[in-house]
Amino acid sequence: MPQQTDPPRRSDAQRNRERILEVAVIELSRCADTPLSAIARKAGVGQGTFYRNFPNRESLVLEIYRHEMQQVADSADQLLAARAPEEALRAWMDRLSEFAMTKAGLADAIRQVTGAPGGPAKPSPTPVARAAELLLRANEEAGTIRPGVGPDDFFLAIAGLWQLDPGDDWRPRAARLMDLVMDGLRAGAPRG
């Protein structure tokens, strides 16, 4: 049976939904218990519009997580279309760092939603793993990284991201970590 998809949204409805998600990421990262009414108010939408898009906290939190993860995954194709494979991979790693810090900031909200008995499961990170695979294969074919590095190895190598505090000035530390990982990926590259 084919998977059912949502009907296309009007452009103003799509803008409202995106604005709600944008505000919700910020507000829920600050405080997992932020009232939904406060998110709606800061997004500039009415309660009806908010609840048409997100009938409850669970649907909002899971959609933020899914949306952010899909944005990271989609950026891999965009970066490869615009840059050399090595530059695309490094830029994607920065985007992944942003996602990691957003996810860390939302960790309490995600735990509240997925940790409740009978609650929904957290979405699978498969799109991000596929994006990493795409970038790693493009770099392997270009000879810019060592052969045989898979997404599992890559994610283990960058696991230090999840040790950074999203409340601190994490960007310089994340950039240094990503530079170290890139140096490791380049070691043993055919063109290195």
Side-chain angles (χ1 to χ4, degrees), residues 17-69:
R17 182 177 178 81
E18 289 171 5
R19 181 71 184 134
I20 292 167
L21 289 170
E22 181 182 306
V23 170
V25 165
I26 294 166
E27 295 304 316
L28 292 172
S29 293
R30 287 183 188 149
C31 175
D33 296 324
T34 299
L36 299 182
S37 59
I39 294 170
R41 188 172 47 258
K42 287 183 179 184
V45 300
Q47 295 290 328
T49 297
F50 183 92
Y51 285 106
R52 259 191 311 280
N53 283 283
F54 304 103
N56 53 44
R57 179 175 296 277
E58 292 80 13
S59 64
L60 174 64
V61 170
L62 291 175
E63 179 58 16
I64 290 169
Y65 184 76
R66 189 207 62 75
H67 179 75
E68 291 291 309
M69 188 171 21

Side-chain angles (χ1 to χ4, degrees), residues 2-174:
Q3 187 176 13
Q4 191 173 7
T5 58
D6 292 332
R9 297 179 186 276
R10 293 186 340 243
S11 62
D12 61 330
Q14 185 61 35
R15 279 192 303 273
N16 284 340
R17 182 177 178 81
E18 289 171 5
R19 181 71 184 134
I20 292 167
L21 289 170
E22 181 182 306
V23 170
V25 165
I26 294 166
E27 295 304 316
L28 292 172
S29 293
R30 287 183 188 149
C31 175
D33 296 324
T34 299
L36 299 182
S37 59
I39 294 170
R41 188 172 47 258
K42 287 183 179 184
V45 300
Q47 295 290 328
T49 297
F50 183 92
Y51 285 106
R52 259 191 311 280
N53 283 283
F54 304 103
N56 53 44
R57 179 175 296 277
E58 292 80 13
S59 64
L60 174 64
V61 170
L62 291 175
E63 179 58 16
I64 290 169
Y65 184 76
R66 189 207 62 75
H67 179 75
E68 291 291 309
M69 188 171 21
Q70 194 61 53
Q71 295 289 96
V72 172
D74 292 347
S75 69
D77 285 321
Q78 297 159 1
L79 289 165
L80 275 172
R83 300 176 183 199
E86 189 175 15
E87 293 172 11
L89 176 58
R90 184 60 186 85
W92 187 76
M93 291 166 72
D94 287 336
R95 179 65 183 93
L96 185 61
S97 297
E98 292 279 340
F99 171 66
M101 291 301 100
T102 297
K103 182 182 170 193
L106 287 171
D108 287 340
I110 293 168
R111 268 192 298 277
Q112 284 177 2
V113 167
T114 60
K122 186 166 74 169
S124 163
T126 304
V128 175
R130 279 195 297 264
E133 177 73 25
L134 174 71
L135 288 158
L136 292 168
R137 293 302 64 86
N139 276 275
E140 188 173 323
E141 289 169 16
T144 55
I145 66 169
R146 69 177 51 222
V149 177
D152 289 343
D153 298 327
F154 174 78
F155 287 111
L156 282 172
I158 66 163
L161 274 176
W162 283 268
Q163 302 303 312
L164 300 178
D165 182 349
D168 288 341
D169 186 17
W170 58 267
R171 282 181 175 77
R173 293 190 73 196

